[in-house]
Amino acid sequence: MYGGSAADRFDKRRILVYTNAAQMVLALVLAVLVMTGRIQIWHVIVLAAFLGVCIAFEMPAISALVPELVHHDEIGAAVALDRSVFHGSRLIGPSLAGQLVTRWGAASAIFGNAISFLGLIIAILTLPPRPRGTKEEEEQRKSGIMDGFRYVKSDRIMILMIALIALTTVFVFPVLSVMLPLTFETFCTSALIEWAT
């Protein structure tokens, strides 16, 4: 909720640069801990908590940025393209991570993840700033969290959509992001063993 309010009030590009830089640092810390063999469960919990805070500010900002980059009649296509890239990367990323884990160990996949943030940060820095809207539009941007609650409460379909997104975020995406690389690693290992025998 605070992430959505910040995306309305502040420059979305700056929010995205800061959150992606923070995620890159978190990934580097995790990679170093894994590489040196010092990783402990409390490290993972603390880093995951900070990552959750970053994502809470990143996702509303990036979702609200897409419509600002195109003309009004192109918003539907832009959102569809953005979502397809997002979900495509969630499928391709773990598969690549599985290959890196199989060849060079877990730390290599985490280092690869950290490096991937550089491209996104550079791309965001090349975007032009948002042109200022009318006085009414700028006042509307300053609306608070309670206005968002009132809007969602007034629309039953919106409540159901938020519930669906919450359920998939909690029960589906963690399984994909954790299990897919491990499954790929197990498949490659068993295939190598079978080939060697």
Side-chain angles (χ1 to χ4, degrees):
M1 295 178 286
Y2 289 104
S5 180
D8 285 340
R9 291 171 180 263
F10 304 111
D11 183 8
K12 297 170 188 64
R13 290 154 189 79
R14 190 170 293 177
I15 292 172
L16 291 172
V17 168
Y18 291 155
T19 55
N20 280 282
Q23 289 176 74
M24 183 171 64
V25 169
L26 292 172
L28 288 172
V29 169
L30 181 61
V32 169
L33 288 171
V34 170
M35 186 178 67
T36 58
R38 296 178 180 175
I39 190 74
Q40 296 180 19
I41 191 67
W42 72 267
H43 293 138
V44 176
I45 293 170
V46 170
L47 291 171
F50 282 117
L51 179 64
V53 172
C54 290
I55 291 173
F57 283 86
E58 178 194 26
M59 292 306 290
I62 203 161
S63 296
L65 177 66
V66 172
E68 291 181 3
L69 300 176
V70 296
H71 297 294
H72 185 72
D73 58 337
E74 299 171 327
I75 289 177
V79 170
L81 181 62
D82 172 63
R83 293 296 88 194
S84 64
V85 169
F86 174 76
H87 291 296
S89 66
R90 292 195 82 132
L91 290 173
I92 295 168
S95 300
L96 294 175
Q99 291 181 4
L100 291 174
V101 168
T102 302
R103 292 180 184 176
W104 298 294
S108 67
I110 305 168
F111 275 119
N113 178 46
I115 292 168
S116 70
F117 287 106
L118 280 176
L120 187 55
I121 291 170
I122 292 168
I124 292 166
L125 290 173
T126 63
L127 295 174
R130 175 184 66 83
R132 279 189 68 81
T134 63
K135 187 178 178 182
E136 293 78 18
E137 288 172 341
E138 294 302 322
E139 283 298 318
Q140 200 172 25
R141 289 181 184 277
K142 296 178 183 175
S143 61
I145 293 171
M146 294 310 296
D147 289 333
F149 277 128
R150 282 191 283 273
Y151 175 75
V152 169
K153 186 180 175 184
S154 68
D155 190 345
R156 186 168 178 259
I157 295 174
M158 185 72 70
I159 293 172
L160 294 173
M161 290 298 293
I162 289 174
L164 178 65
I165 291 169
L167 288 171
T168 56
T169 300
V170 171
F171 295 110
V172 177
F173 288 137
V175 174
L176 282 177
S177 59
V178 172
M179 295 304 293
L180 196 56
L182 294 176
T183 305
F184 188 81
E185 179 186 11
T186 305
F187 170 76
C188 289
T189 304
S190 63
L192 285 172
I193 291 170
E194 187 177 321
W195 177 76
T197 57

